[in-house]
């Protein structure tokens, strides 16, 4: 029999018997976890799988069928002597050689003799013997024929071992088998059986701690299967790998400038950085630092890509260039899509791309395994962006060159974040500059190194040329800081502070209109600002009838509403389809596939709003898209009315455009007052203009003394709030408001009641 040897280090388990210092077997138990333990157990598991036995849980007692077969072959006799044991083993396990048989018989004899000395009866010894024989035949027959060989068989037991199981483990150990007990639940149960650790050795390592929740051989097996599958997806592996950020000093502006030899010399690695610089150290010098950085990288002949604000999404042509199919699982998806990664200039770089693609897509697939379509779309975006920039970044790449990708802005969505994470695993320095600390960046990655600076600065464009460089004075920055203090969540607003606004129609009583009409929007109910967007409470009402039939007071009340921000339309229809409209010929070009072609509109020679503020142009086009999507105008997406909407909204007259140009979303808004005293109605074009300007943020009032349905004809649903204020009057002539007093002489009734109060 072999003797148990002390285990000096875990890897000694894998030494051949002849190379072991004490030429013995190892019987050890692990009660704690560390990364070293994790990798060792993986290796030991594989060894036991190939030339040993793995037990997860407990050894089940022999069942009736096992015992019946044993009785049929061996009978139920039992004698505690070596002759009987040798004869029985030769008959029961005939493939063992004489030396193995002698060792097993001797180990069983010593074990049963110890039990007899401990007071066990002959019947109990017989039962233990039969149990051992059944276990050897049914569970361990594959290893008993290799006991004591130069490469010892391996037994891996996971769980809390029982007393008879430990006795059999002792038999196998002494007969020439290495054994490892993996005790995830701790050593308590074992200590009750072997308090002095005479049978096995408790292995402790300096950095061991408790096993993580869920750790088991099953989990380990799944990890190993996943790793094997990953190896198949990789194909030929690259010779090098990324050493990301491990070499940097933390002074990112300097680190990215370092030449490649000074970063590191291990031929297995290319040395790159993946950093985000949030905020700025010095507002006065920040933009110049950006400019100088790119200038030095270009001077050093570094391959360079610079982007500002956003990653332009892939075009339809780029997406169409990616070969893809429908997939049943993540591995199929990754294997097929990775075939798009072709880089004939460097086979090594292509293999690096495939490895990074496989790793990231498998990681993302684990988060949402049931959303393959979404993962496919993200992978397609990644491949499109790589094809777009790979020539600029790599060219005829040779090891250990590293390109640079400088991005001014934040990752706004998971597609952009995935692309940057992918680049960071290739020979590229990836730097994200986020000077405005108030912006949220969704990028997260274990490799990412973030530098936080205290100050915040708005910079929209990375300065690449002298003409892009705009350096501000200290006074300018001081004024901007004062703006932040005064106009951030204070109720005070800087001129044209907001570029985006959403109109909401107020429901009021009639008497409130005169009170709200000339108020700044910020003082109206339900005004709000959130995430750089203003909620603008506006009036969109129809006033039917004349209060008390008092015509002079009626006209005087309207005169009070004719403020400098108000345009009066004294008769309808004001606009019609027969009027000249230069946009009409291009409406079908401007609106395609349900979307307004904003870029094409702005670049077109017929576009009439190019002189307006850029933010206001965007605001108008956004509201035009919204008007069409809401299907507020009758006939939208039914008979081509959407093209009439486009041509009408892009052909506002000059007076209205001047009101639009000066419109500040927090201050007084522009207004339209319609007078409809007769039997005429709003035309389709009038209705479109009114609905459009309502979304833009105008107040609109329709005065209809007749009460006729002259406003509602082309609306798909009720949107104009109606106020019934008095009796209906007909054929009222519209006066010259320059001659109307806004404070008419009181009637005799008013004088009488006033005198009595």
């Amino acid at each position: 029999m072999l003797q148990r040897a002390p285990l000096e280090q875990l890897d000694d388990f894998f030494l051949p018997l002849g190379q072991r210092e004490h030429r013995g077997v190892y019987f050890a138990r692990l009660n704690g976890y560390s990364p070293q333990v994790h990798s060792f157990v993986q290796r030991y598991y594989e060894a036991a799988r190939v030339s040993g036995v793995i037990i997860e849980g407990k050894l089940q007692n022999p069942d009736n069928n096992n015992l019946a077969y044993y009785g049929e072959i061996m009978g139920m006799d039992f004698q505690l002597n070596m002759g009987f044991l040798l004869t029985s083993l030769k008959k029961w396990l005939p493939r063992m050689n004489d030396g193995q048989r002698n060792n097993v018989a001797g180990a069983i004899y010593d074990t049963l003799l110890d039990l007899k000395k401990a007071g066990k009866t002959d019947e109990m010894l017989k039962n233990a013997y039969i149990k051992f024989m059944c276990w050897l035949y049914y569970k361990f027959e594959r290893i008993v024929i290799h006991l004591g060989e130069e490469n010892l068989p391996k037994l891996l037991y996971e769980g809390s071992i029982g007393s008879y199981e430990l006795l059999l483990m002792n038999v196998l150990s002494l007969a020439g088998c290495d054994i490892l007990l993996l005790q995830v639940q701790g050593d308590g149960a074992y200590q009750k059986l072997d308090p002095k650790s005479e049978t096995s050795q408790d292995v402790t390592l300096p950095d061991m701690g408790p096993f993580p929740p869920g750790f088991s051989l099953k989990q380990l097996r799944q990890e190993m299967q996943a790793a094997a599958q990953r190896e198949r997806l990789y194909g030929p592996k690259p010779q090098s790998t990324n050493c990301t950020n491990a070499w940097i000093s933390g002074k990112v502006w300097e680190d990215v400038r370092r030449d490649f030899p000074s970063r590191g010399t291990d031929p297995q690695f290319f040395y790159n950085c993946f950093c985000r610089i949030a905020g700025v150290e010095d507002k006065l010098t920040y933009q110049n630092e950006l400019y100088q950085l790119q200038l030095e990288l270009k001077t050093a002949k570094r391959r360079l890509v610079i982007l500002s604000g956003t990653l332009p999404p892939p075009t339809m042509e780029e997406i169409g260039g990616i070969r893809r199919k429908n997939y049943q699982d993540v591995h199929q998806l990754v294997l097929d899509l990775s075939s798009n990664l072709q880089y004939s200039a460097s086979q090594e770089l292509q293999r690096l791309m495939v490895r990074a693609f496989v790793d990231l897509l498998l990681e993302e697939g684990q988060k949402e395994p049931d959303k393959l379509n979404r993962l496919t779309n993200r992978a397609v975006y990644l491949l499109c962006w790589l094809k777009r920039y790979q020539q600029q970044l790599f060219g005829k790449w040779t090891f250990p060159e590293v390109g640079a990708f400088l991005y001014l802005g934040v990752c706004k969505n998971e597609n952009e974040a995935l692309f940057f994470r992918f680049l960071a695993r290739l020979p590229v320095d990836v730097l994200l500059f986020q000077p405005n600390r108030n912006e949220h960046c969704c990028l997260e990655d274990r490799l990412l190194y973030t530098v936080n600076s205290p100050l915040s600065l708005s910079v929209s464009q990375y300065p690449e040329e002298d003409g892009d460089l705009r350096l501000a004075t200290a006074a300018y920055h001081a004024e901007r800081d004062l703006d932040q203090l005064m106009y951030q969540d204070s109720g005070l607003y800087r001129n044209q502070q907001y570029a985006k606004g959403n109109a909401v129609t107020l429901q009021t009583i009639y008497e409130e209109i005169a009170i709200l009409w000339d108020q700044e929007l910020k003082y109206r109910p339900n005004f709000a600002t959130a995430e750089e967007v203003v909620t603008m409470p506006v009036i969109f009402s129809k006033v039917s009838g004349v209060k008390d039939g008092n015509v002079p007071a009626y006209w005087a009340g309207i005169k009070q509403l004719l403020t400098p921000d108000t345009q009066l339309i004294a008769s309808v229809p004001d606009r019609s389809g027969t009027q000249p409209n230069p946009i009409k010929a291009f409406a079908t070009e401007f609106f395609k596939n349900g979307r307004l072609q904003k870029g094409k509109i702005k670049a077109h020679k017929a576009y009439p709003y190019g002189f307006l503020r850029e933010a206001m142009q965007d605001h108008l086009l956004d509201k035009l898209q919204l008007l069409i999507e809401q299907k507020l105008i009758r006939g939208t997406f039914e008979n081509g009315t959407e093209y009439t909407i486009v041509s009408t909204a892009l052909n506002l007259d000059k007076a209205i455009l001047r009101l639009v140009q000066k419109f500040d979303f927090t201050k007084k808004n522009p207004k339209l007052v319609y007078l409809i005293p007769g039997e005429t109605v709003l035309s389709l074009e009038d209705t479109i203009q009114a609905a459009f300007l309502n979304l833009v943020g105008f107040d609109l009032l329709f005065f209809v003394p007749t009460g006729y349905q002259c406003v509602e004809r082309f609306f798909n649903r009720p949107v104009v709030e109606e106020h019934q204020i008095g009796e209906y009057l007909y054929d009222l002539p519209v006066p010259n408001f320059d001659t109307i007093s806004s404070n008419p002489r009181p009637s005799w009734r008013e004088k009488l009641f006033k005198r009595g109060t």
Side-chain angles (χ1 to χ4, degrees):
M1 289 186 293
L2 292 173
Q3 297 299 313
R4 280 187 292 274
L7 183 68
E8 302 296 336
Q9 54 187 12
L10 291 175
D11 285 347
D12 288 349
F13 261 113
F14 306 110
L15 291 173
L17 185 60
Q19 295 180 22
R20 298 184 180 185
E21 183 177 356
H22 302 286
R23 189 176 171 78
V25 295
Y26 298 125
F27 189 173
R29 60 189 193 273
L30 285 171
N31 304 303
Y33 176 85
S34 71
Q36 182 184 355
V37 168
H38 190 104
S39 58
F40 165 73
V41 174
Q42 281 185 322
R43 187 178 175 191
Y44 193 93
Y45 177 96
E46 186 62 20
R49 186 187 67 81
V50 172
S51 60
V53 173
I54 299 170
I55 301 169
E56 298 178 60
K58 278 187 168 294
L59 278 173
Q60 299 300 316
N61 287 324
D63 59 25
N64 291 333
N65 292 330
N66 300 150
L67 294 172
Y69 180 71
Y70 175 83
E72 180 182 342
I73 300 299
M74 302 295 295
M76 301 306 289
D77 291 341
F78 169 70
Q79 298 175 32
L80 184 56
N81 62 68
M82 283 291 292
F84 174 81
L85 294 176
L86 287 169
T87 302
S88 297
L89 286 171
K90 186 171 185 178
K91 183 178 181 180
W92 184 237
L93 295 166
R95 294 206 298 160
M96 285 196 298
N97 61 36
D98 290 341
Q100 292 165 343
R101 193 177 300 113
N102 283 329
N103 287 339
V104 172
I108 291 177
Y109 177 80
D110 289 347
T111 299
L112 294 178
L113 189 61
D114 287 342
L115 289 176
K116 184 178 181 68
K117 292 177 180 178
K120 302 296 184 183
T121 66
D122 289 345
E123 187 65 22
M124 296 171 72
L125 297 179
K126 175 183 176 181
N127 290 339
Y129 162 74
I130 294 174
K131 182 180 290 190
F132 290 166
M133 294 292 276
C134 287
W135 277 342
L136 289 171
Y137 181 84
Y138 289 109
K139 299 295 184 182
F140 301 105
E141 199 273 342
R142 66 173 297 199
I143 65 170
V144 293
I145 59 175
H146 298 293
L147 293 171
E149 292 182 352
E150 184 65 12
N151 291 312
L152 297 178
K154 301 287 186 285
L155 196 156
L156 175 59
Y157 185 106
E158 178 196 46
S160 298
I161 197 166
S163 58
Y164 282 95
E165 292 173 295
L166 181 58
L167 291 174
L168 182 64
M169 297 298 115
N170 185 52
V171 167
L172 291 172
S173 172
L174 295 174
C177 177
D178 285 333
I179 300 176
L180 176 68
L181 303 183
L182 184 64
Q183 302 189 135
V184 177
Q185 303 302 323
D187 203 34
Y190 182 91
Q191 287 290 335
K192 295 177 181 178
L193 304 175
D194 182 20
K196 296 182 180 179
S197 292
E198 296 175 335
T199 304
S200 69
Q201 176 182 345
D202 180 13
V203 177
T204 58
L205 300 173
D207 57 345
M208 286 175 69
F211 284 95
F215 184 87
S216 66
L217 289 182
K218 179 180 179 181
Q219 181 196 57
L220 208 65
R221 184 165 55 251
Q222 291 172 344
E223 288 180 10
M224 295 168 68
Q225 290 170 348
Q229 178 74 342
R230 189 185 298 258
E231 291 295 320
R232 287 192 290 271
L233 294 174
Y234 284 151
K237 297 185 70 173
Q239 299 300 309
S240 59
T241 190
N242 57 302
C243 177
T244 303
N245 291 346
W247 56 274
I248 66 174
S249 67
K251 298 177 180 178
V252 177
W253 295 91
E254 299 174 10
D255 291 329
V256 72
R257 291 174 162 94
R258 288 173 61 178
D259 58 15
F260 312 133
S262 69
R263 296 181 175 196
T265 56
D266 191 325
Q268 298 182 51
F269 298 113
F270 58 85
Y271 296 85
N272 70 326
C273 60
F274 183 26
C275 302
R276 174 172 53 209
I277 302 176
V280 303
E281 284 288 342
D282 189 332
K283 293 182 179 181
L284 293 177
T285 62
Y286 182 76
Q287 293 189 65
N288 188 50
E289 288 176 341
L290 291 177
Y291 175 74
Q292 292 298 328
L293 174 62
Q294 60 86 31
L295 195 62
E296 290 185 34
L297 293 178
K298 288 177 180 176
T299 303
K301 307 298 183 184
R302 294 278 296 278
R303 294 193 171 272
L304 182 63
V305 170
I306 299 176
L307 285 182
S308 300
T310 187
L311 270 171
T315 64
M316 296 305 296
E317 291 77 12
E318 288 175 320
I319 292 174
I322 303 300
R323 298 184 303 277
R324 59 191 184 279
K325 304 173 184 176
N326 293 322
Y327 306 110
Q328 300 300 316
D329 57 46
V330 173
H331 291 91
Q332 189 184 78
L333 179 155
V334 172
L335 180 63
D336 183 64
L337 286 179
S338 62
S339 65
N340 288 277
L341 293 163
Q342 302 293 328
Y343 203 72
S344 58
S346 171
Q347 191 176 62
E348 174 70 3
L349 183 60
Q350 180 176 317
R351 291 172 178 175
L352 288 170
M353 291 175 178
V354 171
R355 184 183 63 186
F357 184 81
V358 169
D359 287 344
L360 284 180
L361 267 293
L362 289 180
E363 180 182 328
E364 293 301 303
Q366 289 179 348
K367 297 176 183 176
E368 298 178 322
D370 300 328
K371 296 183 179 179
L372 283 180
N373 287 337
R374 182 178 179 185
L375 185 62
T376 301
N377 293 336
R378 295 179 63 190
V380 168
Y381 265 57
L382 189 157
L383 292 168
C384 288
W385 280 324
L386 177 63
K387 284 191 172 185
R388 182 190 297 173
Y389 299 115
Q390 67 182 12
Q391 187 60 35
Q392 291 175 258
L393 284 172
F394 305 113
K396 295 181 179 180
W397 179 81
T398 58
F399 181 89
E401 290 179 2
V402 174
F405 197 109
L406 309 183
Y407 181 72
L408 181 70
V410 295
C411 288
K412 300 174 183 64
N413 55 63
E414 57 188 11
N415 292 331
E416 294 182 352
L418 183 64
F419 178 63
F420 286 122
R421 295 175 62 207
F422 174 75
L423 281 186
R425 286 152 174 83
L426 302 179
V428 183
D429 287 336
V430 181
L431 268 66
L432 291 88
F433 299 97
Q434 183 190 340
N436 188 348
R437 293 177 57 87
N438 297 319
E439 293 181 315
H440 172 68
C441 182
C442 69
L443 175 62
E444 294 182 4
D445 191 274
R446 59 182 176 80
L447 298 180
L448 181 65
Y449 177 74
T450 299
V451 177
N452 288 299
S453 297
L455 304 178
S456 191
L457 180 67
S458 292
V459 183
S460 60
Q461 188 70 29
Y462 194 108
E464 295 185 63
E465 305 295 339
D466 290 345
D468 298 330
L469 193 59
R470 301 175 64 193
L471 303 180
T473 65
Y476 174 87
H477 287 300
E479 184 180 60
R480 296 283 75 79
D481 291 341
L482 185 60
D483 281 354
Q484 290 293 318
L485 293 174
M486 291 183 63
Y487 303 122
Q488 193 71 33
D489 301 322
S490 66
L492 300 175
Y493 301 99
R494 190 174 61 247
N495 287 338
Q496 306 296 347
Q497 181 172 344
Y498 294 95
K500 294 184 178 181
N502 294 325
V504 293
T505 301
L506 286 173
Q507 288 185 310
T508 68
I509 62 174
Y510 171 66
E511 287 74 14
E512 285 183 293
I513 292 176
I515 300 171
L516 297 171
W517 188 255
D518 203 30
Q519 275 189 354
E520 293 186 357
L521 291 174
K522 64 185 177 183
Y523 298 129
R524 290 184 178 181
N526 301 305
F527 172 85
T529 59
E531 298 182 356
E532 302 300 318
V533 179
V534 181
T535 299
M536 304 178 291
V538 299
I539 296 167
F540 196 21
S541 298
K542 171 185 174 184
V543 181
S544 295
V546 177
K547 188 174 183 180
D548 298 328
N550 187 337
V551 175
Y554 180 70
W555 296 126
I558 294 174
K559 172 68 179 289
Q560 289 180 331
L561 301 176
L562 301 182
T563 68
D565 297 309
T566 305
Q567 180 170 337
L568 174 67
I569 298 177
S571 65
V572 297
D574 178 57
R575 309 190 62 180
S576 72
T578 60
Q579 293 172 338
N581 185 337
I583 301 298
K584 190 176 294 186
F586 308 108
T588 53
E589 294 180 36
F590 291 170
F591 188 78
K592 289 183 178 180
N593 302 319
R595 299 297 303 174
L596 203 63
Q597 307 299 306
K598 297 177 183 178
K600 182 177 289 187
I601 291 172
K602 285 186 173 184
H604 200 276
K605 62 181 180 180
Y607 177 56
Y609 298 160
F611 59 85
L612 296 177
R613 291 180 287 121
E614 189 70 29
M616 184 53 70
Q617 293 182 51
D618 292 336
H619 180 67
L620 292 174
L621 294 176
D622 288 343
K623 300 313 173 187
L624 175 52
Q625 176 72 45
L626 179 60
L627 177 60
I628 297 172
E629 289 176 351
Q630 287 182 341
K631 299 181 182 179
L632 189 60
I633 305 300
R634 188 166 297 163
T636 306
F637 296 121
E638 294 176 3
N639 55 18
T641 299
E642 59 271 20
Y643 300 113
T644 305
I645 295 173
V646 171
S647 61
T648 302
L650 292 178
N651 191 39
L652 299 175
D653 65 36
K654 185 181 294 186
I656 291 179
L657 288 178
R658 287 177 175 175
L659 293 176
V660 167
Q661 169 67 4
K662 75 175 204 175
F663 181 22
D664 187 330
F665 298 155
T666 65
K667 296 181 171 59
K668 292 181 181 180
N669 58 328
K671 310 163 195 306
L672 284 186
V673 171
Y674 287 81
L675 301 182
I676 314 177
E679 297 175 358
T680 55
V681 299
L682 293 183
S683 66
L684 173 60
E685 289 74 16
D686 284 331
T687 307
I688 292 170
Q689 175 175 278
F692 176 56
L693 293 179
N694 168 249
L695 293 176
V696 169
F698 277 57
D699 287 334
L700 291 100
L701 271 180
F702 302 91
F703 284 95
V704 186
T706 63
Y708 288 151
Q709 295 288 301
C710 54
V711 175
E712 296 83 356
R713 178 181 176 187
F714 291 104
F715 284 113
N716 255 335
R717 56 185 181 273
V719 292
V720 181
E721 184 182 28
E722 185 172 9
H723 301 278
Q724 298 285 347
I725 66 168
E727 60 183 287
Y728 297 147
L729 299 180
Y730 306 95
D731 301 320
L732 291 180
V734 177
N736 180 352
F737 281 97
D738 290 338
T739 65
I740 298 291
S741 171
S742 58
N743 293 298
R745 185 178 299 170
S747 67
W748 66 269
R749 290 188 183 87
E750 292 173 324
K751 291 180 180 178
L752 177 62
F753 286 109
K754 186 176 182 181
R755 191 181 302 125
T757 58

